[in-house]
Amino acid sequence: MFKLLETFKTVYETLNFSEAAEILFVSQPTVSAQIKQLENELETSLFSRNGKKKIIPTPQAELLYKQSLNILEEWETTKQLVVNQATFKETVKIAASLTFGMKILPELLKELLAIFPMIDFKVTLCNSLDVLNAMNKHEADLGFIEMPLQTGTLKRTTLMSDVLVAAGDPNEELWLIRESTSGVYHYTKRYFEENNITGPFLEINSNELISKLLRMGIGRSIISALETDGLHTEPLTENYERNFYLLERDAHESETIAQCARFITRWVNQKYND
């Protein structure tokens, strides 16, 4: 029906079957057949012929033209809405602390991308305090931290535990430490106080750089056991077992974010806690 109305609209505006056919990229007999089909549907004549080329709209055509403009406009709007819904991708912003981001998040993202193909994920890696700040400022929809921060109105869910170790050459005096807002700094400071360590220190805000320096035989550090492949390590007491947490808002801004949060919790539990 919409194709017939589009043909009718073009014929009405050109008052010429051949010209309408050129505009519509169809043959002139096709235009004639479609107008005839529309006339049969409506059981009325839409155009009167005056000579070979001149056509005159009937009063019924005048009425149909006015109505068809609205009908065709609404149809185009409806089509666009359907297309937009089919191709729309919601953005979910994730902020993750560095250890979780480098060791757990890659595999988790692989699963998220497979389960939620219609979501555009955006990921930011930073320290735990910056993750919390991003959540509070609505710059992130979901956050991962490794520090038991006071989260206020945010919901904090324990995902999994992480064991910390002392890594590097025991004979090294230099300690490589993260910045004070990092999740591991709290435990590093405790270790130094318990063992009367006063330095020297080198502050580095990158787990990757600390790991590379340790592998070069430079310094010692308190790091996650997840990051110790090939490194000399010394176990610490149970006081140095920490947790990774998921941060989310009590009232999610969309059901999509809520579904992601539920999937993340379930996936981590199955992968690391079962």
Side-chain angles (χ1 to χ4, degrees), residues 143-213:
F144 299 99
I145 62 174
E146 54 206 52
M147 188 175 181
L149 298 168
Q150 294 297 319
T151 57
T153 59
L154 295 174
K155 178 182 176 182
R156 188 184 75 186
T157 302
T158 302
L159 291 178
M160 58 182 287
S161 63
D162 179 42
V163 176
L164 296 175
V165 296
D169 186 345
N171 296 317
E172 281 285 313
E173 294 184 358
L174 176 66
W175 283 89
L176 312 178
I177 63 172
R178 287 288 308 278
E179 70 280 13
S180 61
T181 51
S182 166
V184 75
Y185 179 82
H186 166 76
Y187 298 93
T188 302
K189 183 180 178 182
R190 175 194 293 174
Y191 182 84
F192 290 165
E193 290 173 351
E194 290 177 352
N195 293 275
N196 298 314
I197 296 173
T198 58
F201 305 128
L202 173 58
E203 182 178 308
I204 302 173
N205 69 341
S206 166
N207 287 348
E208 185 177 5
L209 180 53
I210 288 175
S211 179
K212 286 184 176 180
L213 289 172

Side-chain angles (χ1 to χ4, degrees), residues 6-129:
E6 187 64 44
T7 299
F8 162 76
K9 173 178 174 290
T10 307
V11 171
Y12 182 93
E13 291 172 347
T14 61
L15 297 178
N16 187 294
F17 278 67
S18 297
E19 188 175 339
E22 291 181 7
I23 293 173
L24 296 169
F25 298 101
V26 296
S27 66
Q28 188 272 331
T30 298
V31 171
S32 297
Q34 289 178 351
I35 293 299
K36 185 63 176 176
Q37 182 181 347
L38 185 58
E39 289 177 329
N40 291 337
E41 288 273 354
L42 298 173
E43 298 181 351
T44 189
S45 177
L46 296 173
F47 299 99
S48 61
R49 281 71 172 174
N50 183 3
K52 291 185 177 180
K53 295 185 178 181
K54 185 69 173 179
I55 61 174
I56 301 173
T58 65
Q60 291 81 7
E62 299 280 358
L63 175 61
L64 179 61
Y65 179 73
K66 293 178 181 178
Q67 296 297 319
S68 66
L69 292 178
N70 293 330
I71 294 171
L72 290 171
E73 183 178 355
E74 289 182 5
W75 173 236
E76 286 300 320
T77 300
T78 301
K79 285 197 300 182
Q80 193 60 51
L81 287 172
V82 172
V83 170
N84 287 345
Q85 186 180 49
T87 59
F88 172 75
K89 280 197 169 188
E90 181 175 348
T91 298
V92 174
K93 294 170 287 185
I94 294 174
S97 59
L98 295 180
T99 302
F100 189 93
M102 296 302 295
K103 296 302 177 179
I104 308 298
L105 191 55
E107 191 173 357
L108 174 56
L109 275 175
K110 178 182 177 182
E111 298 297 325
L112 287 170
L113 291 170
I115 298 297
F116 301 100
M118 297 309 295
I119 294 179
D120 278 331
F121 290 99
K122 292 187 176 181
V123 178
T124 300
L125 299 186
C126 48
N127 62 49
S128 293
L129 185 58

